Amino acid sequence: MTTEQPLPDFVARTRLAIDEVSQRRVFFVIGCQKSGTTWVQKLLNAHRQVSCRGESHLCDVLAPLLQQACRQYNAPGKCNHKLDEDDLLAMLRTVTDRRLLAGIERPQRGADARGEHVVAVGDKTPEAALAIPLLDRLYPGARFIHVIRDGRDGAASGWAHLERQNETGQFASFAAYAGYFAQHHWKPYITAARTAGESLGERYIEVRYESLLEAPAEQARRLFDALGADSSPGAIEPAVAAASFKKQSGGRAAGDEDRASHMRKGIVGDWRNTFAAEAARTFDQHAGDLLQQLGYAEPAAV
């Protein structure tokens, strides 16, 4: 005769997370920093049927730490039972499911505690643009929403962020930062995500920051359709309004700058007010080819 042992609460909750997440469409919002990923997260999260939280940093922070722990655990003389790749993937999947469950249970949805109205659940972490293959192994069938913005506007926004944090001193000049941003963030993030996306078909969705500004309802409809959520005007309009620059900035109109705010200005082409000739040449040197490939203005060599 076998005796059923009581389960600790954390095991029961983990089982609940695995079950609840598996019943919903999983997605990841990715893209280079300062490209509008937070805006897209807020837009999606404002829909009653969608949960989008941020930022988990599972792939760029947790995964390397777990890999290191597994290597140390498997070191000669440490133990007889080695951890393998499946063990690592199981740990990552379990932690992610538990995190996603919190979004499904978000109480302000007006649904019951288990979030029965939620049809899609996701995470926004920009750095996940470099980890689509890993996430695709963890969640076969997941959607990847890649937010792309003119990298020069991204650099201008990034510099303003560093100013708010009093961290511009790590760069000799804005021109040096523009080159760093292009070489180490904008170009590699976009290139990696687009390369991985080639094999994903309709599960890979690109959305441009500029298109979101120009036609937010149209772009929102694309995204909600891809996630299997209600894309009727009655569902789209409140989400677009809730995520708008005016709403998120506390009432400012787009273009009304507040350099102390994360929602600084909310316009396209602001790089022209920041880039001098040297910064333009430096950015072009590292990523001018991608600017052309993506259809943005000619490389900003002055």
Side-chain angles (χ1 to χ4, degrees):
M1 175 181 295
T2 60
T3 302
E4 185 176 345
Q5 299 296 314
L7 291 176
D9 288 345
F10 75 88
V11 175
R13 187 157 181 81
T14 298
R15 287 185 173 181
L16 175 64
I18 293 171
D19 180 59
E20 293 290 333
V21 171
S22 68
Q23 296 179 48
R24 292 164 171 86
R25 182 162 290 177
V26 174
F27 66 92
F28 299 94
V29 177
I30 61 174
C32 178
Q33 298 90 340
K34 301 304 176 184
S35 292
T37 55
T38 298
W39 180 12
V40 171
Q41 177 203 346
K42 292 180 180 297
L43 170 66
L44 298 176
N45 203 48
H47 194 294
R48 185 166 179 257
Q49 294 181 321
V50 181
S51 167
C52 185
R53 299 167 68 85
E55 300 178 3
S56 68
H57 292 282
L58 293 165
C59 295
D60 59 305
V61 177
L62 182 60
L65 290 173
L66 288 177
Q67 287 175 327
Q68 180 181 5
C70 288
R71 285 195 296 268
Q72 292 178 346
Y73 182 85
N74 289 341
K78 294 290 185 181
C79 63
N80 294 325
H81 304 285
K82 307 297 184 183
L83 296 175
D84 59 20
E85 186 176 37
D86 281 356
D87 292 316
L88 175 61
L89 293 174
M91 287 185 278
L92 286 171
R93 171 74 192 235
T94 299
V95 171
T96 308
D97 279 350
R98 287 174 58 89
R99 178 173 176 81
L100 294 175
L101 176 64
I104 295 173
E105 294 181 335
R106 195 173 68 180
Q108 61 266 36
R109 294 187 178 280
D112 61 80
R114 290 178 57 187
E116 290 184 354
H117 295 303
V118 177
V119 300
V121 59
D123 172 82
K124 184 275 292 190
T125 301
E127 289 79 1
L130 303 174
I132 290 178
L134 172 58
L135 290 170
D136 193 39
R137 291 190 68 188
L138 292 174
Y139 293 92
R143 267 57 175 174
F144 296 88
I145 298 173
H146 183 196
V147 188
I148 297 177
R149 182 187 192 184
D150 186 328
R152 297 163 296 187
D153 274 338
S157 178
W159 186 253
H161 174 78
L162 291 179
E163 287 181 331
R164 290 195 298 271
Q165 303 297 320
N166 294 317
E167 295 177 355
T168 56
Q170 59 188 297
F171 297 97
S173 63
F174 172 70
Y177 171 74
Y180 167 84
F181 183 85
Q183 182 179 12
H184 297 286
H185 290 276
W186 192 68
K187 186 172 182 177
Y189 277 52
I190 292 176
T191 301
R194 297 190 106 199
T195 299
E198 290 177 356
S199 64
L200 298 178
E202 65 180 11
R203 294 196 290 118
Y204 172 79
I205 305 106
E206 284 188 358
V207 58
R208 299 290 182 98
Y209 179 96
E210 297 80 10
S211 296
L212 278 167
L213 277 179
E214 182 179 352
E218 178 183 339
Q219 297 304 313
R221 184 177 298 107
R222 284 182 60 223
L223 298 179
F224 291 135
D225 279 341
L227 298 180
D230 182 3
S231 60
S232 67
I236 291 174
E237 290 168 7
V240 169
S244 68
F245 180 84
K246 184 174 183 179
K247 178 69 173 181
Q248 295 295 325
S249 67
R252 283 185 289 122
D256 182 3
E257 183 176 24
D258 180 358
R259 297 191 71 84
S261 172
H262 178 77
M263 299 294 175
R264 181 180 62 91
K265 203 168 186 178
I267 62 173
V268 171
D270 190 49
W271 66 270
R272 296 181 178 87
N273 299 317
T274 306
F275 274 60
E278 183 184 359
R281 284 194 298 268
T282 302
F283 194 98
D284 186 37
Q285 175 185 351
H286 293 294
D289 57 340
L290 188 55
L291 285 172
Q292 295 183 72
Q293 179 184 340
L294 292 173
Y296 289 115
E298 287 297 312
V302 179

